[in-house]
Amino acid sequence: MNRNLKIKLLPFILTLAVIILDQITKLLIVKNIPYATIGAQYFGDFLRIVHISNTGVAFSVGATWSETARHILFSLLPLIVIGLVIVVYFRNNDFTMLQRWAIAGIVGGGLGNLIDRWFRKEGVVDFIDVKFYGLFGLERWPTFNVADSAVVVCGILLIISFLIIVIKEKNKEN
């Protein structure tokens, strides 16, 4: 195996770690916390571990759509997008290591939630519930899971990494 391929494959350790951690935590939640209940609270009611499921996507968008529409838009389409991301990932030699790790984390999070959509009839298991103090009109942030966290954190890192490159290139021009 050549060095370039090894460099590109290494970040997929994060993909596997996210999928494994996501699925283990969801199994623990399903096994130990009855559905629609609070299993634990920390820092008063700031952080709660709950057991709910979501048949939609972020913020329950599409949860009331038909099963066929949800299957196409939330299972098949994301799989195609993840496949395209992986193709671009391996064809591109210009990504930085941070960008490669961030992409791998996003792919792991996406696959973690797809596993739920394919194998859990109740939908994606969500369990992290955080108080949001009325910001944006939300008393609590929508409940999420490890996969969601990986997508958001790695997505932010990816955007920051691209911004840093743009700033560096702009400074070189000046």
Side-chain angles (χ1 to χ4, degrees):
M1 186 180 315
N2 70 35
R3 185 175 178 347
N4 191 34
L5 182 58
K6 284 182 186 178
I7 288 170
K8 289 180 179 180
L9 286 173
L10 183 63
F12 284 93
I13 292 170
L14 179 59
T15 303
L16 286 174
V18 167
I19 293 169
I20 291 167
L21 183 61
D22 180 60
Q23 291 302 307
I24 288 172
T25 55
K26 289 172 180 175
L27 284 171
L28 289 171
I29 294 301
V30 169
K31 182 178 179 186
N32 295 302
I33 300 175
Y35 184 77
T37 63
I38 300 170
Q41 290 190 145
Y42 302 98
F43 314 109
D45 70 341
F46 175 74
L47 173 65
R48 300 187 307 196
I49 305 301
V50 301
H51 177 186
I52 65 163
S53 61
N54 181 2
T55 56
V57 290
F59 306 101
S60 296
V61 170
T64 59
W65 297 355
S66 73
E67 189 173 335
T68 302
R70 286 194 323 264
H71 179 71
I72 291 168
L73 293 173
F74 305 152
S75 294
L76 297 178
L77 191 59
L79 183 62
I80 293 167
V81 170
I82 289 170
L84 290 172
V85 167
I86 292 171
V87 167
V88 170
Y89 174 94
F90 280 102
R91 287 189 176 175
N92 186 306
N93 292 318
D94 296 327
F95 288 134
T96 67
M97 281 309 289
L98 175 60
Q99 290 167 340
R100 291 195 180 283
W101 283 91
I103 292 167
I106 293 167
V107 168
L111 290 174
N113 280 338
L114 278 179
I115 289 168
D116 281 19
R117 288 193 182 101
W118 293 331
F119 298 108
R120 293 183 192 275
K121 64 178 168 53
E122 66 276 10
V124 176
V125 174
D126 289 327
F127 58 90
I128 303 168
D129 180 52
V130 180
K131 191 168 190 158
F132 210 57
Y133 301 103
L135 296 170
F136 304 114
L138 301 171
E139 195 54 38
R140 304 198 73 79
W141 188 255
T143 308
F144 57 99
N145 58 44
V146 171
D148 298 333
S149 300
V151 169
V152 170
V153 170
C154 291
I156 291 168
L157 286 173
L158 188 60
I159 290 167
I160 290 170
S161 72
F162 283 125
L163 290 174
I164 289 170
I165 289 171
V166 168
I167 290 168
K168 283 182 179 179
E169 287 178 4
K170 193 170 188 172
N171 287 340
K172 282 182 184 178
E173 290 174 4
N174 295 334

